[in-house]
Amino acid sequence: MTQENWLAEEFEANRAHLSAVAFRMLSSRAEADDAVQEAWLRLGRTDATAIGNISGWLTTVVARICLDMLRSRKARREEPFDLPVHGRIADTSKSVDPEREAAFADSVGLALLVILETLAPAERVAFVLHDMFDLPFDDIAPILNRSPAATRQLASRARRRVQGKTDVAEADPTRKMQIISAFLAASRLGDIKALLSVLDPQVVFTPDVAAIRYNPSVRELRGADAVAETFKGRAQAAQPAKIDGEFGFVVVVGGQLRVVLLLTFEGEKIAAIDAVADPVYLDNLKYELL
């Protein structure tokens, strides 16, 4: 059996699972088909001998493609575009089939699909992969460029919305803007008390490898006291921004984006801060200064 034939068989063995993952993230059978086909194209451009777990690799790739599609919806409100379809694995059901669409919708539940549409892209991916497909947060975190702790918070917040629970009041966008403005001002002024007022007691700060390389003194921190002390007198170059539909900060030096700080909220407190300086991520990042 040639490698191409082996890859085709492995892909077909995983197609149903990949379609289910993509549909739950995108709520559109057509878009889900596009995402799955793009995963096949990427598999064909990858050295398969370097992939230890094809099923896991494909799930990760489909999740990243779906995340990009969700971000595109949020950022530009455009209709989804058609991705190329590989001739060998072409999906013959590309045209809309009402019965097929209804079957997929029923498998998830129309009410759930409506709620999923209200989630931010990162929340939706974290919830779908963990709560629906049992992926561990350690595996989901790299897809979102977040720490496992922040990914857990995203899934937890999404779960509360899906279940209709109101035990932790979610800050609205205006309140979140006030919180990040207060954090930025307190950081620049070195006001520890003000910093503690907007940080969750169990807040986690996590830098990625590139951020640590950029500033070796940066390390993972847990607890409001440690995080407040680290940010005291800093953030001079940080600017508040909307990143993937969520509030955070960007640091631009010499006209070049160097670091983004992704914030995860728990109620009206900042529960996680992820510093991301990975150049590949930054090169493809879409953000809006506030």
Side-chain angles (χ1 to χ4, degrees):
M1 180 183 294
T2 65
Q3 177 170 295
E4 183 179 0
N5 288 335
W6 177 74
L7 285 178
E9 287 191 5
E10 288 293 318
F11 186 82
E12 285 300 333
N14 283 279
R15 181 188 282 278
H17 167 72
L18 299 176
S19 295
V21 170
F23 181 75
R24 283 159 176 77
M25 288 190 190
L26 299 170
S27 301
S28 164
R29 179 58 186 168
E31 284 186 310
D33 287 344
D34 286 340
V36 171
Q37 294 297 343
E38 175 64 11
W40 164 248
L41 290 174
R42 295 188 186 184
L43 179 62
R45 297 193 296 264
T46 302
D47 179 9
T49 61
I51 302 175
N53 180 345
I54 290 230
S55 180
W57 186 90
L58 285 169
T59 299
T60 296
V61 169
V62 165
R64 285 176 173 156
I65 293 169
C66 290
L67 180 60
D68 288 341
M69 295 171 78
L70 290 169
R71 287 168 173 167
S72 179
R73 286 183 192 171
K74 295 287 185 181
R76 293 186 290 275
R77 303 293 182 185
E78 294 178 353
E79 291 298 319
F81 57 87
D82 288 332
L83 297 171
V85 179
H86 194 286
R88 186 176 182 83
I89 306 293
D91 190 340
T92 58
S93 59
K94 194 66 178 173
S95 59
V96 175
D97 181 342
E99 292 185 1
R100 192 161 174 256
E101 291 280 354
F104 262 76
D106 288 343
S107 71
V108 181
L110 289 175
L112 177 56
L113 289 179
V114 171
I115 296 173
L116 290 177
E117 284 296 313
T118 68
L119 302 178
E123 290 177 335
R124 186 163 182 167
V125 170
F127 174 77
V128 168
L129 291 180
H130 181 266
D131 285 48
M132 293 185 172
F133 292 96
D134 297 322
L135 265 68
F137 290 119
D138 286 347
D139 291 346
I140 303 170
I143 298 172
L144 301 175
N145 281 100
R146 305 265 185 146
S147 65
T151 304
R152 185 185 300 275
Q153 292 284 355
L154 290 169
S156 176
R157 188 167 66 190
R159 190 179 307 114
R160 286 198 301 272
R161 291 188 187 181
V162 169
Q163 295 174 348
K165 294 183 178 179
T166 57
D167 52 330
V168 179
E170 178 68 21
D172 61 31
T174 299
R175 180 58 183 145
K176 285 183 178 179
M177 187 61 201
Q178 293 171 346
I179 293 168
I180 68 169
S181 296
F183 176 89
L184 195 59
S187 175
R188 290 172 175 173
L189 293 172
D191 189 337
I192 290 289
K193 184 176 180 180
L195 282 169
L196 291 173
S197 71
V198 296
L199 294 173
D200 185 272
Q202 306 302 318
V203 63
V204 178
F205 169 72
T206 308
D208 70 355
V209 174
I212 294 174
R213 189 182 303 119
Y214 184 67
N215 184 354
S217 66
V218 171
R219 57 188 177 83
E220 180 177 287
L221 300 168
R222 293 181 177 273
D225 290 336
V227 173
E229 187 63 35
T230 294
F231 277 91
K232 182 179 69 174
R234 296 192 176 184
Q236 302 300 324
Q239 302 176 72
K242 266 292 193 69
I243 306 164
D244 292 340
E246 292 289 316
F247 289 104
F249 301 107
V250 298
V251 177
V252 179
V253 179
Q256 182 179 358
L257 180 62
R258 295 295 181 87
V259 183
V260 298
L261 299 177
L262 305 171
L263 305 182
T264 303
F265 287 82
E266 184 71 11
E268 296 195 349
K269 300 286 187 178
I270 297 173
I273 305 173
D274 289 276
V276 182
D278 177 68
V280 175
Y281 173 76
L282 297 183
D283 285 346
N284 294 282
L285 183 67
K286 298 293 190 299
Y287 66 89
E288 176 189 356
L289 292 177
L290 300 175

